[in-house]
């Protein structure tokens, strides 16, 4: 029972972190947990110092936007927090590019709320034997 409550806590935190995003189309949040502790968080947004315009005037996503999962992994790297064996809680299932980073970072479990429209990332993670759970 305590493990279920922790999953709920971390997925709820990822939803709260998503609110920090300046994106209009989709606000995504991620929480990286290792050994029962949060080691990093991230949300989708522009690189540091480049403003907060996540969408182009056309309404499409700015190609410079960094996804929530990538921001969480990159912050762990920046602060020297190992990601090997960690669990990633994220509001949307990862895209293919983020799935590649998740695999290379040694993350072993991804728990997500909403399935992203492009399920290529899910398939890539399955192919790499990463445990996947859609949280309900």
């Amino acid at each position: 029972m305590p493990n279920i409550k922790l999953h709920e806590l971390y997925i709820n935190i990822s939803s709260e972190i998503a609110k920090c995003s300046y994106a209009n189309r989709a606000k995504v949040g991620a929480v990286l947990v290792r050994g029962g502790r949060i080691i990093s968080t991230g949300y989708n947004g522009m690189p540091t110092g480049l403003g907060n315009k996540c969408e182009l005037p056309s309404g499409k996503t700015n190609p410079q936007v960094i996804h929530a999962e990538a921001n969480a992994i990159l912050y762990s790297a920046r602060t020297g927090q190992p990601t090997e064996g960690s669990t990633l809680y994220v509001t949307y299932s990862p895209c293919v590019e983020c799935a590649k980073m998740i695999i290379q970072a040694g993350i072993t479990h991804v728990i997500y709320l909403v399935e992203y429209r492009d399920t290529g990332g899910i398939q890539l993670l399955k192919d790499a034997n990463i445990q996947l759970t859609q949280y309900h």
Side-chain angles (χ1 to χ4, degrees):
M1 187 66 109
N3 202 20
I4 292 170
K5 288 183 180 182
L6 283 178
H7 288 315
E8 183 178 351
L9 172 67
Y10 296 137
I11 206 74
N12 287 341
I13 292 171
S14 73
S15 295
E16 288 299 311
I17 294 292
K19 294 176 184 177
C20 295
S21 174
Y22 286 90
N24 294 318
R25 290 182 37 188
K27 295 178 183 291
V28 182
V31 174
L32 200 49
V33 176
R34 186 174 36 83
R37 299 216 178 258
I38 294 172
I39 60 170
S40 185
T41 62
Y43 55 88
N44 56 321
M46 295 293 288
T48 303
L50 296 183
N52 296 316
K53 302 253 187 240
C54 294
E55 284 85 18
L56 300 171
S58 66
K60 291 185 178 185
T61 300
N62 187 329
Q64 297 174 345
V65 165
I66 301 172
H67 291 187
E69 305 94 320
N71 266 326
I73 292 167
L74 291 167
Y75 185 76
S76 286
R78 186 176 185 174
T79 59
Q81 290 291 325
T83 55
E84 187 77 32
S86 62
T87 298
L88 180 69
Y89 294 83
V90 65
T91 55
Y92 281 84
S93 61
C95 69
V96 170
E97 291 303 312
C98 288
K100 291 178 200 177
M101 284 186 249
I102 289 164
I103 295 164
Q104 291 304 99
I107 295 167
T108 56
H109 191 181
V110 175
I111 300 173
Y112 63 94
L113 276 174
V114 177
E115 188 172 280
Y116 183 60
R117 60 182 152 76
D118 178 358
T119 58
I122 289 174
Q123 188 57 54
L124 183 57
L125 292 171
K126 285 180 180 177
D127 291 346
N129 295 315
I130 305 297
Q131 186 179 354
L132 282 164
T133 306
Q134 185 170 13
Y135 189 83
H136 296 284

